[in-house]
Amino acid sequence: MANTACFIIVSRNDIPIYEAEVGSAMKKEEAAQQHQFILHAALDIVEDLAWTTSAMFLKAVDKFNDLVVSVYVTAGHTRFMLLHDSRNEDGIKSFFQEVQELYIKILLNPLYLPGSRITSSHFDTKVRALARKYL
Amino acid sequence: MIGVGKIKQYTNVLDKPLSRGRQEVSLSAFAFLFSELVQYNQTQVDNIAELERRLEDAGYAVGARVLELLCHREKGNRRETRLLGILSFVHSTVWKVLFGKVADSLEKGTEHEDEYMISEKELLVNRFISVPKDMGAFNCGAFVAGIVKGVLDGAGFPAVVTAHFVPVDGQQRPRTTILIKFAEEVLRRESRLG
């Protein structure tokens, strides 16, 4: 179980549409902001890496102290980014794939504007449950 | 007594599985719905260019969703990073799922490097539509052009996509061609990737 984990979904236009702190450790205010900063700084690397491979799961993209950034890029170039300190790659891959299914279901809603914030509380609950299960 | 009974349980859409679902939809139902869509938009605009743009916007929303869904279902989570890859994805997979058959042909434009054409003898959406003479070159295939644009834009290949009628000798109804003109950055990235 990862102690710290920060999960954000960034749309194609580099706008974050969902964020959640899913670690089991106590949340500190500055730590949360630092996590988001690290993830946003990794976006450039992800952009370059995404065009070199046709796989969706890009493993560890960037490191900061002992925290690792892992990224999963979907067909529509929506990036799922996870900042964590665990070493369990298969668990992270399964987590991303489950979140991708949830994301597709949200996207299929004709009233959802692609690239806008995901406000569904049910989605939030499910993502946190998945994080507890896989991370 | 009124009101006594089992309370209906509403399951959230996120809990239902993302199954393949029913593959086929009634053609007449779709044709009717599409004709109503065109008629509704006709009342909202005063010129043809605006009408085509509205149909294209409607298709764009469909294209964005089709891309994510089909890459998940059909391609086992592999993205397209090359131009020819995404074009053949549109030409075969997208067409097969939406219209039940692969598109008739995919050609590269001869005059310009950045132009590609997908041709179809009779577009499904145009099958039951006849365009009056005073509407000139209006083509309801703008809806399909919007779908292609949504798929290409979503995958990171911005392009201008339009639908045109191309008269064919020996055939009464003209062929429909979807013309795709890619943006500069796509060609630059393609040549950089080699």
Side-chain angles (χ1 to χ4, degrees), chain A residues 12 50-51 53-56 72-77 100-105 107 109-110 112 122-123 126, chain B residues 12-18 60 64-65 67-69 71-72 77-81 153-157 189 193:
Chain A
R12 202 155 55 87
W51 287 106
T53 170
S54 78
M56 285 192 176
Y72 186 92
V73 185
T74 67
H77 276 263
Q100 190 198 15
E101 287 219 5
L102 287 177
Y103 173 70
I104 292 181
K105 288 176 206 172
L107 185 67
N109 180 358
Y112 169 74
H122 200 82
F123 180 79
K126 293 208 78 141
Chain B
N12 196 297
V13 68
L14 291 175
D15 294 323
K16 295 201 193 123
L18 193 65
Y60 188 91
R65 290 161 172 87
L67 170 70
E68 287 270 2
L69 190 62
C71 275
H72 177 69
N77 288 335
R78 307 215 53 90
R79 290 178 295 115
E80 288 296 338
T81 47
D153 260 5
F157 296 86
R189 190 180 59 221
L193 288 176

Side-chain angles (χ1 to χ4, degrees), chain A residues 18-69:
Chain A
Y18 175 76
E19 45 210 19
E21 287 275 341
V22 296
S24 55
M26 286 282 290
K27 291 186 292 223
K28 294 187 297 266
E29 193 45 54
E30 345 121 351
Q33 287 171 356
Q34 195 188 44
H35 292 166
Q36 290 180 10
F37 178 71
I38 300 166
L39 283 171
H40 284 89
L43 276 177
D44 280 332
I45 307 177
V46 175
E47 194 52 40
D48 286 333
L49 213 55
W51 287 106
T52 62
T53 170
S54 78
M56 285 192 176
F57 181 49
L58 316 171
K59 295 174 203 159
V61 163
D62 195 16
K63 276 183 71 66
F64 179 82
N65 293 347
D66 56 346
L67 297 172
V68 176
V69 178

Side-chain angles (χ1 to χ4, degrees), chain B:
Chain B
M1 281 191 288
I2 301 174
V4 171
K6 217 170 68 160
I7 298 174
K8 187 165 175 189
Q9 299 286 344
Y10 290 99
T11 50
N12 196 297
V13 68
L14 291 175
D15 294 323
K16 295 201 193 123
L18 193 65
S19 64
R20 302 198 79 86
R22 283 179 33 178
Q23 302 279 32
E24 289 174 1
V25 173
S26 148
L27 176 63
S28 5
F30 173 72
F32 183 62
L33 182 63
F34 187 67
S35 87
E36 285 299 318
L37 180 74
V38 175
Q39 283 175 56
Y40 169 74
N41 282 315
Q42 253 183 317
T43 62
Q44 308 267 313
V45 303
D46 9 286
N47 59 59
I48 295 178
E50 188 65 28
L51 182 56
E52 280 205 347
R53 208 184 60 83
R54 276 185 172 239
L55 286 180
E56 206 180 284
D57 286 344
Y60 188 91
V62 176
R65 290 161 172 87
V66 153
L67 170 70
E68 287 270 2
L69 190 62
L70 290 188
C71 275
H72 177 69
R73 266 193 202 159
E74 311 273 333
K75 298 199 5 128
N77 288 335
R78 307 215 53 90
R79 290 178 295 115
E80 288 296 338
T81 47
R82 306 306 303 264
L83 193 75
L84 283 182
I86 192 72
L87 279 176
S88 61
F89 173 70
V90 169
H91 167 270
S92 4
T93 316
V94 174
W95 235 257
K96 189 123 197 359
V97 169
L98 291 181
F99 305 121
K101 57 187 262 303
V102 173
D104 283 346
S105 70
L106 170 66
E107 294 150 8
K108 188 164 152 52
T110 42
E111 295 135 48
H112 303 275
E113 268 306 302
D114 51 357
E115 281 183 3
Y116 288 83
M117 290 160 297
I118 295 182
S119 300
E120 184 83 17
K121 192 159 149 242
E122 177 86 65
L123 261 189
L124 194 75
V125 301
N126 280 343
R127 218 165 108 178
F128 301 114
I129 295 182
S130 59
V131 183
K133 284 271 185 325
D134 58 354
M135 295 193 86
F138 173 65
N139 190 337
C140 286
F143 182 67
V144 177
I147 295 180
V148 174
K149 183 163 195 262
V151 172
L152 292 176
D153 260 5
F157 296 86
V160 175
V161 188
T162 45
H164 304 276
F165 281 125
V166 174
V168 176
D169 314 317
Q171 235 182 275
Q172 200 194 27
R173 306 253 301 174
R175 215 175 52 167
T176 313
T177 297
I178 311 275
L179 181 68
I180 304 169
K181 194 172 170 65
F182 287 105
E184 259 297 314
E185 54 167 293
V186 177
L187 298 169
R188 269 187 273 133
R189 190 180 59 221
E190 264 306 291
S191 58
R192 201 184 67 221
L193 288 176

